[in-house]
Amino acid sequence: MSSYSYDDQNVFARILRGEIPCKRVLETEHTLAFSDIAPKAPHHVLVIPKGPYVCYDHFAQAASEPEIVDFTRTLGRLCTELGVAPGDGGAGYRLIANAGSDGVQEVPHLHVHLLAGRNIGPMVMMRP
Ligand code: AMP
């Protein structure tokens, strides 16, 4: 069992408390989706659980089933609502969830990046 300590002063915790603004895209009981402040694609949305989870494996271990179901379904709904779901004729998208130092995670609150609206390119840029 892993142990995580959650920093409640991180920027996404402050967005969830309404202390700093965000451009909201979709909100449900357990999940918030908002535009990334420095978009890397025409659609660049961050999807976060409202609970205090640091990264994906923390969420998978510690979140309740309703939170996990809500998060997963909200991500799927977002793809449909943005018109990027391939099954609905959309051109597709990429999901990214960075974790820890090797994952180059900047904000220690779980977030999935949804990138779409152009070809996103190779999966990973290899460093020499
Ligand atoms: P990561 O490197 O996966 O932790 O990504 C953090 C992301 O959060 C980056 O893409 C930032 O542009 C984004 N970000 C940081 N602060 C804000 C903010 N106040 N509102 C929206 N996005 C933000």
Side-chain angles (χ1 to χ4, degrees):
M1 190 75 176
S2 59
S3 72
Y4 282 103
S5 68
Y6 180 79
D7 167 17
D8 68 5
Q9 293 307 310
N10 79 73
V11 66
F12 296 167
R14 299 188 63 206
I15 285 175
L16 284 166
R17 289 196 296 269
E19 293 170 7
I20 54 177
C22 73
K23 197 171 156 205
R24 188 177 318 178
V25 178
L26 191 58
E27 182 167 9
T28 64
E29 184 182 358
H30 296 295
T31 307
L32 177 66
F34 55 96
S35 299
D36 196 292
I37 204 168
K40 305 288 190 297
H43 296 298
H44 187 169
V45 180
L46 300 173
V47 185
I48 67 172
K50 292 184 176 177
Y53 307 109
V54 175
C55 58
Y56 199 91
D57 63 282
H58 185 205
F59 180 67
Q61 270 182 25
S64 66
E65 296 205 0
E67 288 173 291
I68 292 170
V69 169
D70 183 81
F71 187 74
T72 305
R73 294 232 191 269
T74 301
L75 256 171
R77 185 178 145 200
L78 191 56
C79 296
T80 304
E81 290 189 2
L82 292 175
V84 300
D88 297 331
Y93 56 89
R94 181 168 298 156
L95 304 179
I96 300 172
N98 298 320
S101 55
D102 277 5
V104 197
Q105 181 179 10
E106 290 167 22
V107 180
H109 181 113
L110 169 62
H111 49 285
V112 173
H113 297 255
L114 189 156
L115 296 154
R118 67 166 171 81
N119 185 305
I120 304 300
M123 189 167 71
V124 176
M125 293 288 207
M126 296 303 288
R127 286 215 172 117

